[in-house]
Amino acid sequence: MQYRQRPSAGYTLLELLVVLVVVGLTLSLAVLSVGDGGRDARIKQEAKRLAALLDLAGEEALLDGRELGLRLYRNRYAFVYLEEKAWKSFEKDLSLRPRTLPQGLELQLYLDGLQLQLEPDDDPENRPAPQLLLLSSGEHTPFELWLVDGAERAPEEQLRYRLSSGPLGPVAIEGPVEEERW
């Protein structure tokens, strides 16, 4: 009796390992090339969000006939409204709720060409008036607001986006902007 060797019904361990290594390398290269968009995508997304929220708040002030404001800190911001001669935060309105910037981003505010010093955080005992006003007449404070990624880095290594608006216009976004003021 002669035994015939049947062809193998599976793959060897070595073949499976080679395929896994090739698939792993391909996936890692794909993730590296796509990534999360990097620093530029993160700051651009935050600039778009803030511009859209400013436009929304301006429209809400006009439609509701009440005065709104934007209180800015270095790493966060909060929309507020004027009620009984006091500025109050939006707690129930999810779209205008207080927001914290992602790690590494910082705000810088310029009014009439002068930089305002933004506080690092909120002092519950002494909450300042908002730096930007959004009035029921449709007007708002003209401003230049910079979103800076890597404020602790050298100026040439920072990414900056500029949001700006006149007293009546929509919010314009420019970026990334090269070093100008520093």
Side-chain angles (χ1 to χ4, degrees), residues 28-54:
S28 63
L29 289 175
V31 168
L32 287 175
S33 66
V34 173
D36 65 351
R39 291 173 55 208
D40 187 46
R42 181 177 62 141
I43 191 171
K44 185 177 185 178
Q45 177 186 359
E46 203 58 43
K48 285 181 177 180
R49 176 181 294 124
L50 184 51
L53 287 172
L54 280 163

Side-chain angles (χ1 to χ4, degrees), residues 146-160:
W146 290 76
L147 268 170
V148 180
D149 186 9
E152 70 284 348
R153 298 178 184 190
E156 62 273 4
E157 295 178 8
Q158 296 174 352
L159 281 174
R160 293 182 208 85

Side-chain angles (χ1 to χ4, degrees), residues 9-118:
Y11 297 102
T12 66
L13 183 58
L14 183 60
E15 289 170 325
L16 288 174
L17 288 176
V18 168
V19 169
L20 287 175
V21 167
V22 169
V23 168
L25 286 173
T26 305
L27 284 175
S28 63
L29 289 175
V31 168
L32 287 175
S33 66
V34 173
D36 65 351
R39 291 173 55 208
D40 187 46
R42 181 177 62 141
I43 191 171
K44 185 177 185 178
Q45 177 186 359
E46 203 58 43
K48 285 181 177 180
R49 176 181 294 124
L50 184 51
L53 287 172
L54 280 163
D55 287 339
L56 173 70
E59 290 174 13
E60 191 165 311
L62 185 63
L63 293 173
D64 290 350
R66 63 179 174 173
E67 315 309 324
L68 302 182
L70 180 62
R71 192 179 286 147
L72 297 159
Y73 303 92
R74 267 190 226 143
N75 300 1
R76 60 188 203 85
Y77 55 93
F79 287 93
V80 293
Y81 61 95
L82 187 62
E83 186 177 90
E84 299 173 5
K85 298 184 181 183
W87 291 101
K88 299 182 178 183
S89 283
F90 284 94
E91 299 298 331
K92 296 178 183 173
D93 186 344
L94 293 179
S95 59
L96 297 178
R97 71 183 185 279
R99 296 176 190 264
T100 301
L101 295 175
Q103 183 71 27
L105 291 184
E106 190 173 289
L107 293 168
Q108 296 174 350
L109 177 64
Y110 291 84
L111 298 178
D112 294 327
L114 300 173
Q115 184 177 7
L116 267 64
Q117 201 67 351
L118 297 178

